[in-house]
Each structure stands twice: as C-alpha cells, then as structure tokens.
Amino acid sequence: TRGNGLVRLDPGAWSTLDEGAGLKGKIVFGFAESATALYVVTADEGLNRIGERGGIESVPLPSGSAITLHASNGDLWIGTTQGMVYRLRGKDFQAFGPQEGLPSFPVRDIRAVPGEKGQPPTLWAASFGGGLLRWEGGRWLRLGKEEGIPDEQIKRLCVSRWSPSPRLYVGTPTGLFLVERRNGAWVPRPGPQV
C-alpha cells in the first residue's frame, strides 16, 4: 500500500496491519512467506517479521535499505537499494555484493524459476541498471546487452508456469522480454517494446 500498512482479509472482513498494530513503516513494498513467518518490506523501516502467533518484530539488516524479498527453499532473499542481496537462513544473514558478481545498482526484484526434472530452482535478481542476474555456484552471473538483454534497467520479474517449461518474464521501462531454457541454456527472447 501507499501509506496504510499491510491490508489482509481475515475471515469475513478486511483488516489493516499498520504502525498501531506494531508494523514498522507505513508504505509496504512487498511481502514473502517462509515456513514460520510472513516478512514485510516497508519504505520507512525496512524488514518486519510477523510470527505464527501474529507478533510483529523489526528485523534489522546488516546494512542497506530493503526494497524486495522472495522466499525460496527455506531461505529469504532480500534485495536492497544499495545493490546488495542478503540471504536470511534461520536468524543468520549472508551478504552478497560486488565480490559475488552484483553490480552496484538497486536490486528491484528477486524470483525463483522452478527446476526441470528434479533440478533445484534457478534464482534471478532484477538490477535496475545492472541487467539480469542469475544465482549459480555461489555467484551472481550477469546477463546484459552483450547476451541479448534489450534493456539493463530491470524493474520486475514474473515466473510463468503455464508453458511446457517455466519462463521468466522481465519488465523494463522500455518493454517486456522473457528468458527461457533452450537446450540447457538460458536464452533471452525480446518481446514488445513501448
């Protein structure tokens, strides 16, 4: 929301989790559910954890301001305005930055594309100015214009499970494109430009 906290549908009625209920921050950027909690990113205060019993606590990041998050395989992945990605496993943070291949641009979105035939999911990050990033072997591998990415200002990612094999749709200020597996490799395919 833009200033009203997190809105949810309780049995039979809408309710709001806001600062009065203990949520740190008014503007909600996003949320993700782990096995034990709901995590909420807000513009003002960063990361909030809502436990199974409804208690809300602030989760301070080691540094940076969170703008997106995604839960995958028991881990919570958090993108920041400073171009860092954090992995929260249990209560332990692991930081990823330039040493692991991240460019110094905001990480606007993170998504996991399901693996094929028993393979683990592939984690992707949207870097606004740094291209599309794929997590592989403990590093972030960059796909940019050299690899056929039409615009390196990536804003949003969406996973489609409707096609025979999962696809990653990528939104930029100039249009939409997708990345799909072909013969074991990830290949960008341009879409409509605006």
Side-chain angles (χ1 to χ4, degrees), residues 60-179:
L61 294 178
S63 68
S65 298
I67 54 175
T68 190
L69 48 90
H70 180 74
S72 178
N73 285 350
D75 294 332
L76 185 70
W77 294 84
I78 304 155
T80 71
T81 56
Q82 292 77 17
M84 297 288 291
V85 170
Y86 293 101
R87 177 171 55 195
L88 179 60
R89 182 174 281 165
K91 293 195 180 272
D92 298 321
F93 280 103
Q94 184 175 4
F96 303 100
Q99 299 84 353
E100 293 79 25
L102 284 172
S104 297
F105 293 96
V107 176
R108 299 281 303 263
D109 205 354
I110 301 173
R111 292 287 173 253
V113 175
E116 293 180 329
K117 299 177 185 135
Q119 295 295 315
T122 301
L123 194 68
W124 294 89
S127 173
F128 193 75
L132 185 62
L133 305 159
R134 184 179 77 239
W135 179 247
E136 186 176 296
R139 293 196 49 78
W140 290 97
L141 304 177
R142 182 180 174 278
L143 295 177
K145 290 191 176 189
E146 305 82 31
E147 292 79 24
I149 301 296
D151 188 337
E152 294 184 356
Q153 292 185 325
I154 312 295
K155 294 181 82 171
R156 291 287 176 249
L157 303 175
C158 179
V159 177
S160 170
R161 294 170 179 85
W162 294 356
S163 60
S165 108
R167 294 177 172 176
L168 179 70
Y169 286 89
V170 182
T172 73
T174 58
L176 182 69
F177 67 93
L178 69 88
V179 178

Side-chain angles (χ1 to χ4, degrees), residues 1-112:
T1 65
R2 287 284 188 194
N4 296 321
L6 181 67
V7 179
R8 67 180 182 183
L9 180 61
D10 289 326
W14 289 96
S15 67
T16 302
L17 288 175
D18 56 15
E19 290 177 312
L23 189 70
K24 311 296 188 276
K26 296 178 183 178
I27 300 172
V28 174
F29 282 161
F31 53 89
E33 189 173 17
S34 74
T36 59
L38 176 68
Y39 290 88
V40 181
V41 172
T42 63
D44 312 37
E45 300 292 332
L47 189 60
N48 294 269
R49 179 182 185 277
I50 303 172
E52 293 174 330
R53 298 181 185 195
I56 301 173
E57 63 180 310
S58 180
V59 180
L61 294 178
S63 68
S65 298
I67 54 175
T68 190
L69 48 90
H70 180 74
S72 178
N73 285 350
D75 294 332
L76 185 70
W77 294 84
I78 304 155
T80 71
T81 56
Q82 292 77 17
M84 297 288 291
V85 170
Y86 293 101
R87 177 171 55 195
L88 179 60
R89 182 174 281 165
K91 293 195 180 272
D92 298 321
F93 280 103
Q94 184 175 4
F96 303 100
Q99 299 84 353
E100 293 79 25
L102 284 172
S104 297
F105 293 96
V107 176
R108 299 281 303 263
D109 205 354
I110 301 173
R111 292 287 173 253

